Amino acid sequence: MEELILTLKKQIIEVLNLEEMTPEEIETDAPLFGTGLGLDSIDALELIVLLEKEYGIRLANPAEGKDIFKSVATIAEYVHKNRTK
Amino acid sequence: MTTEENYQAVKSGRSALTHYEGKWGLSEPFCASLFTDAQNEAMRKNGYTRFESVILHSINDALSGTSIDITSNRVVLIVSTTKGNIEILDNPECDEEREYPASAAQKIADAIGVTTMPIVVCNACISGAAAQVLALRLLDADLYDYAIVTGADCQSPFVVSGFQSFKAVSDEPCRPFDIERLGLNLGEAAATIIFGKEDKPNVSCTSHEDWALYRGCVRNDAFHISSPSPKGDGAYATLNTILADVAKQELAMVSVHGTATMYNDQMESKAIQRAELSDVPVSALKGYFGHTMGAAGLLETIISMRSIDDGFIPANRGFEELGVSGNMDITSESRTTNKNAFVKMISGFGGCNASLLLGKSLELPTTDSRSDIKHQYTIVRISPEKVEIDGKVFHTECKGKAMLTEIYKSQVGDYPKFYKMDSLARLAFVASELLIKAVKDIDAEHTSVVLFNRTSSIVSDRQHHSEMMNLPSPSVFVYTLPNIMTGEIAIRNGLKGETSLYIIDKKEWSLMDSIAVTCFCEPDIHHIIYGWVDYKDDMNFEAEIKYI
């Protein structure tokens, strides 16, 4: 799980162009949207692409993302349970 | 199809929306209204692309029966499109120049005999209405006697895959304003309106006999590059401007954008309520034509004029039960009217919104042209080798693309959205930051952003094109609309004026000056950030922008 969390943090930094951030600076349980990293609706769509590309998880309904993308911890848990690659 | 054929289809409730599976090799199904093979074949012109052919077909139809001397230097061609010849991008058999919308527009101008420099309006989904606003202003400023305003977009995996990455496309016929709406349908169309000068100021008559465009307005939400302001701030601001002194009971209808996306329709309902238009019948045409992008603002204006000529308000195809919270008068049935004026609304990515007021016999007070236009300006120039502010060199260590990040770090530093922008938007952003710093105090509420370029959004176009068949990135796709850079500047600075993006063949200051200055015809606009921002590749880019 620790390894998955670190990988996810690196992938999030890359796909969301969080240029000046390091994985250590992203708190695993901190909210990603709203406060936290201040991500927006396009970032949420970009995370949907990330799940499908890297882990073979397809979200039919983007509204599902709301619960999954709460924090890196919730993403890791969802990926762990649902990944197909 | 002619206006009449299209109108009769709407009147009888026929839609061109069709469900496609596996079309162009795309993995997700979608619903769209595309030209049929037979229609494409009938419009095809040798030596011209599909985009150019459909526009020529539409213009020639509109011009037939008119006696305009098209070769006169008092005639301008205005082309509204979001992606022009995108179908031929990276096609080795095609001339690379034609990928640039200004080259396509020139090809069209040459074909019909227009001799002045064509202007491409590339303002995302509002282009077709923004092009009419430009025509009104250019004629009112007496720069031309006639404006041929034409618009089109041809669909391809480029645009469909991009909107799919935004989860904005429905694979069923769209349902504007309905509680069960699932997103938009894309569409193909070409539409043309010819505007001529009236003897009264501030009015331009159209090729549709006795119709006139009285007012038009463009405003930015300064909220987000792809989500509209939830309260419809920009859309409301446009309505508020065009409806000053207008008795609402004179309006037959409001022809809305009504894309059937969750956010657009909700936002429009709020803007309509705020503008006190809740009792005016609403007409949403996307259920017949889909979202025809560069053509939408023109096509929907034409169908609305023709409907009102017939005393008819079209049924809102796809609508059953209200699914928005703003009060509006919308029904699933057609209605009749004896009124002779309407409002056209439209909104798009980059936070832009436009509204038009058209009618046959409205009596409105005319506004005098402003004479307080300032001739003093501040100017910033950026090229891969050099940065200058008001002629003084601004020293940088790096050259080329890296220079933009260097300027961001040394002059801004606290706006990480910079790193999410594409190269074109970064260039515009950095230039505007230097400009605004030099100006010191800007009047955000009353400032517009009007940018010009030649190569559109070619860098992001190539990137999206290379990944479109395999889970394309929504954040790359959004920057394939070059007007996003004007939205970025508006959002960063809270600018509430208009934002516009025009594509012309070369950096000609006389044309850019005269277009920009026409923004001052609105009393609410006190300042403009305007000029040239072009990014062909990492060693060929140029920004030259002024604040007046």
Side-chain angles (χ1 to χ4, degrees), chain B residues 282 313-317 319-320 329-335:
Chain B
V282 159
I313 299 170
N316 291 291
R317 200 173 193 281
F319 172 83
E320 277 172 30
D329 179 8
I330 183 166
T331 61
S332 56
E333 303 295 324
S334 63
R335 289 184 265 184

Side-chain angles (χ1 to χ4, degrees), chain B residues 2 37 46 127 147 327 337 503-504:
Chain B
T2 61
D37 291 345
N46 278 337
S127 301
N327 291 333
T337 183
I503 301 177
I504 50 179

